[in-house]
Amino acid sequence: GENVEQHPSTLSVQEGDSAVIKCTYSDSASNYFPWYKQELGKRPQLIIDIRSNVGEKKDQRIAVTLNKTAKHFSLHITETQPEDSAVYFCAVYRGSNYKLTFGKGTLLTVNP
Amino acid sequence: DGGITQSPKYLFRKEGQNVTLSCEQNLNHDAMYWYRQDPGQGLRLIYYSQIVNDFQKGDIAEGYSVSREKKESFPLTVTSAQKNPTAFYLCASSYGLADTQYFGPGTRLTVL
């Protein structure tokens, strides 16, 4: 099955700095890559996603880049704020088995 | 994602008892999913349903059962055969299997 590796598992930054989280996947047929943010005890919420026919997507302070050849994609958060503190999960969708496979998450802490 | 509800929010169960978790959505989504989340882990797929009266096993279906008699509802039963059922259970839905999944608020199950 699909194997999704997410790094780092924890990330601490100062307010205003940038944060980058990276995920690698194993199946070259995977074609959809969402990122979810989960605050403590809450539901995961979609923050950005990208499909395999696009290399980069931006939404204000958040961007995702995809390298299909190397089979990795990254979440970039610029000008971080304390409210960005949460666990971030990447996920990979493989159409051949209709499954979304999640990484193990990154705990991001933004220090004021 | 506000159109997906789960109940109860907290559930306590004695060993050997079956328990059913509720998931309802009013988003007119065809596909629904159940995930299990353990501390420090990503989300793992238990069961999914593409359409009414059809469902498929995910990666960790043993000890669980589901039904999909209505488009809006996808209840999950945790049976006594599940060896370690204490976890946070998340329901999700999407228009189709390849579309963005939106999550409910979750049910935290504790086995006493």
Side-chain angles (χ1 to χ4, degrees):
Chain A
E2 178 69 271
N3 185 35
V4 179
E5 297 284 338
Q6 182 172 345
H7 296 282
S9 56
T10 61
L11 180 59
S12 181
V13 300
Q14 290 299 121
E15 183 175 359
D17 287 351
S18 294
V20 181
I21 303 168
K22 181 177 177 179
C23 284
T24 60
Y25 59 98
S26 57
D27 189 342
S28 57
S30 298
N31 56 11
Y32 174 58
F33 309 90
W35 284 92
Y36 287 86
K37 174 184 179 183
Q38 186 179 30
E39 297 176 359
L40 188 62
K42 301 290 182 64
R43 74 184 81 193
Q45 294 196 304
L46 181 76
I47 54 172
I48 197 166
D49 57 8
I50 193 167
R51 297 202 180 260
S52 59
N53 58 347
V54 176
E56 183 177 3
K57 185 176 178 180
K58 283 186 178 180
D59 183 2
Q60 299 183 337
R61 297 186 297 109
I62 295 172
V64 55
T65 57
L66 172 64
N67 185 326
K68 288 171 54 182
T69 303
K71 290 186 282 188
H72 66 71
F73 59 110
S74 298
L75 177 70
H76 304 256
I77 306 174
T78 59
E79 300 172 21
T80 54
Q81 302 166 3
E83 51 265 39
D84 293 330
S85 296
V87 178
Y88 292 81
F89 291 97
C90 65
V92 175
Y93 177 79
R94 187 166 63 139
S96 59
N97 65 1
Y98 308 111
K99 288 181 187 174
L100 195 61
T101 302
F102 286 81
K104 292 190 175 182
T106 296
L107 174 61
L108 173 65
T109 303
V110 180
N111 302 299
Chain B
D1 56 24
I4 304 176
T5 59
Q6 291 184 241
S7 61
K9 187 173 182 179
Y10 299 98
L11 188 56
F12 297 90
R13 184 194 102 174
K14 292 183 179 179
E15 280 192 22
Q17 290 181 335
N18 293 355
V19 63
T20 297
L21 282 59
S22 169
C23 177
E24 305 275 336
Q25 55 95 5
N26 62 2
L27 301 170
N28 199 33
H29 286 170
D30 283 315
M32 296 187 74
Y33 314 80
W34 275 104
Y35 291 91
R36 170 180 172 141
Q37 186 174 31
D38 295 286
Q41 300 291 319
L43 283 67
R44 293 183 291 168
L45 182 65
I46 304 172
Y47 268 97
Y48 67 98
S49 169
Q50 186 175 4
I51 200 167
V52 174
N53 292 323
D54 179 72
F55 50 83
Q56 303 296 328
K57 292 182 179 180
D59 298 319
I60 56 167
E62 185 176 353
Y64 300 97
S65 66
V66 294
S67 62
R68 186 87 188 276
E69 298 177 0
K70 298 188 300 180
K71 185 175 184 176
E72 301 80 14
S73 178
F74 192 40
L76 173 73
T77 296
V78 184
T79 75
S80 57
Q82 169 49 235
K83 299 300 182 191
N84 185 21
T86 295
F88 189 47
Y89 290 87
L90 287 158
C91 177
S93 70
S94 63
Y95 282 112
L97 293 178
D99 296 313
T100 300
Q101 295 183 23
Y102 296 94
F103 286 86
T107 293
R108 190 166 298 279
L109 172 64
T110 302
V111 174
L112 304 173

